[in-house]
Amino acid sequence: MLAVTSLSINAPFWFNVRPQGPNFFALNMGLCLPFALGLSVAFPKRKVIAIDSDGSLMNDSSSLITVADVNPANLVAFVMDNGSYAFMSSTFTTRKTDLAKMAQGAGIANASTVKTLEEFSAAAKQAMESAGPTLIVAKVERDAGRVSADRSRTSGRPMREWFMDAVRRHPDYQGGR
Amino acid sequence: MDKQSVQVIIETLKEEGIDLAVTLPEEPTFSLTEAMREDPFFQAVTVAGEGNGLAFCAGAALGGRRVVFVTGIAGLLVGTWALSQMGMVYGAPILILASYRGDFGDHSGIPGSQLLMFKQVAEPLLGALRVPYRIVNQKATLKRMIQEGSFACQDYSHPIVLLLSGEVLW
């Protein structure tokens, strides 16, 4: 499994879950989901998970259309929707915007919203065991996932080199042909 | 773009092992992207926006795929945010073929104020983004420029832009 995260809360959160392996952390606004989509095309036999956020996805929601059109069976996108930009202000999902419905409208049939840990676990298990693409909007508390992480492992060029080292060791890596 | 340019580009991309072609269709390069779509060698992907297209290319390229992004100056303008991130920050090796709208010889009929804007903005924009580029306007140099651009983007580990113009494009 390969993983890609958006920045802010999601990067240190995922680092605390899985610090080793092919993780690309802290992609800036709007870039997490499409980057993960590209990775899913490079590793078609492996699950690629995107850990995106509501603010990031809304910054380039047309990526939902691209995901639907490419239709990768191995892509699972989690949108950690805390209803705010990091810990600041509130996003549109606290008012009228429904990201799961947007994803469905874009053509991602397996799109849903979960609001409890039990719902999340069941949806995640199903997504990891079945063909996608799947998008799960997880409603989370604003500050629930705030943890610290080693920035040299979770941002910028040093992170990129950790990622490349892990990817090049992956048995499915096609680079260097 | 005429058949000769299309054929040279496709043959050279194949020789370079570039088999993932990403585009948001635009008029001057439409014949190229359609030819790629019809050629089983390529995995052709149409994106809904240039920003997510460039991020998609970066994920694929850092994952080991050889990728070409076909766009135009307008597309590069739209994708500036993604290009800055995937270039300067993450060094993704993406070969970009861009129609040089607004360059001398663009008789496409779109308003001159638009053409002038493209002409004034394109090269300073790429310079500001620190994206190496070449203008390719002669068919005799097209193959070599693609080969060298492909080598450079892998060697630099950075996006490279070939601005297609002149007899290559029009």
Side-chain angles (χ1 to χ4, degrees):
Chain A
M1 181 182 76
L2 300 93
V4 180
T5 87
S6 62
L7 75 178
S8 189
I9 296 169
N10 284 343
F13 158 72
W14 182 249
F15 182 78
N16 279 268
V17 173
R18 192 182 79 158
Q20 305 295 333
N23 301 309
F24 202 102
F25 293 103
L27 278 155
N28 219 314
M29 295 291 277
L31 303 172
C32 176
L33 181 59
F35 187 97
L37 177 64
L39 204 56
S40 76
V41 169
F43 288 88
K45 295 178 182 175
R46 305 289 174 166
K47 284 289 186 186
V48 174
I49 67 169
I51 305 170
D52 209 342
S53 63
D54 49 333
S56 173
L57 182 57
M58 285 188 285
N59 193 268
D60 187 358
S61 54
S62 73
S63 62
L64 293 168
I65 300 168
T66 305
V67 168
D69 203 57
V70 176
N71 200 33
N74 59 331
L75 180 64
V76 180
F78 297 99
V79 182
M80 312 305 272
D81 179 2
N82 68 354
S84 70
Y85 293 99
F87 55 89
M88 303 167 287
S89 187
S90 61
T91 68
F92 302 95
T93 62
T94 63
R95 298 189 285 278
K96 298 177 181 176
T97 302
D98 186 323
L99 292 173
K101 286 183 179 175
M102 286 177 64
Q104 290 167 354
I108 302 172
N110 298 322
S112 61
T113 300
V114 296
K115 296 181 179 177
T116 68
L117 192 57
E118 291 74 23
E119 288 176 353
F120 177 86
S121 295
K125 187 172 189 296
Q126 183 176 1
M128 296 302 287
E129 293 175 350
S130 56
T134 303
L135 185 138
I136 299 166
V137 179
K139 294 287 187 180
V140 297
E141 295 172 25
R142 182 174 291 199
D143 289 322
R146 288 176 66 82
V147 291
S148 60
D150 181 353
R151 287 181 64 84
S152 71
R153 295 286 304 278
T154 56
S155 66
R157 282 294 177 118
M159 176 282 300
R160 187 253 201 211
E161 297 312 316
W162 281 102
F163 171 80
M164 291 307 301
D165 185 59
V167 161
R168 288 186 182 118
R169 293 168 188 263
H170 198 288
D172 292 0
Y173 180 65
Q174 299 177 65
R177 288 177 294 172
Chain B
M1 184 180 293
D2 66 18
K3 286 184 179 177
Q4 186 184 7
S5 293
V6 169
Q7 187 175 359
V8 170
I9 291 172
I10 285 181
E11 282 178 4
T12 312
L13 292 175
K14 287 181 177 180
E15 289 166 8
E16 293 296 314
I18 297 172
D19 61 358
L20 179 57
V22 183
T23 188
L24 194 162
E26 55 119 31
E27 196 172 343
T29 56
F30 184 65
S31 56
L32 172 62
T33 53
E34 281 303 288
M36 287 172 162
R37 198 176 312 285
E38 292 167 3
D39 190 325
F41 177 84
F42 295 102
Q43 181 179 3
V45 171
T46 301
V47 294
E50 285 85 355
N52 62 70
L54 285 160
F56 171 81
C57 288
L62 293 179
R65 293 291 298 268
R66 295 244 177 158
V67 56
V68 62
F69 186 57
V70 182
T71 186
I73 294 302
L76 290 180
L77 283 166
V78 174
T80 298
W81 167 241
L83 189 56
S84 65
Q85 291 286 317
M86 299 311 157
M88 278 194 272
V89 180
Y90 296 121
I94 307 166
L95 180 64
I96 299 170
L97 303 181
S99 68
Y100 194 172
R101 300 302 294 257
D103 193 21
F104 299 158
D106 184 346
H107 297 284
S108 59
I110 64 174
S113 57
Q114 287 284 342
L115 298 181
L116 180 61
M117 182 275 289
F118 289 141
K119 181 65 181 169
Q120 289 178 314
V121 166
E123 294 179 62
L125 170 74
L126 294 172
L129 294 174
R130 306 296 189 267
V131 175
Y133 70 93
R134 289 280 185 88
I135 299 169
V136 187
N137 54 18
Q138 295 181 342
K139 288 181 179 177
T141 63
L142 178 57
K143 186 178 189 70
R144 183 169 177 178
M145 286 295 100
I146 295 170
Q147 290 170 330
E148 292 183 353
S150 173
F151 178 83
C153 84
Q154 295 295 328
D155 203 38
Y156 298 166
S157 196
H158 201 276
I160 296 288
V161 174
L162 297 181
L163 293 170
L164 307 179
S165 182
E167 65 179 15
V168 170
L169 188 67
W170 304 111

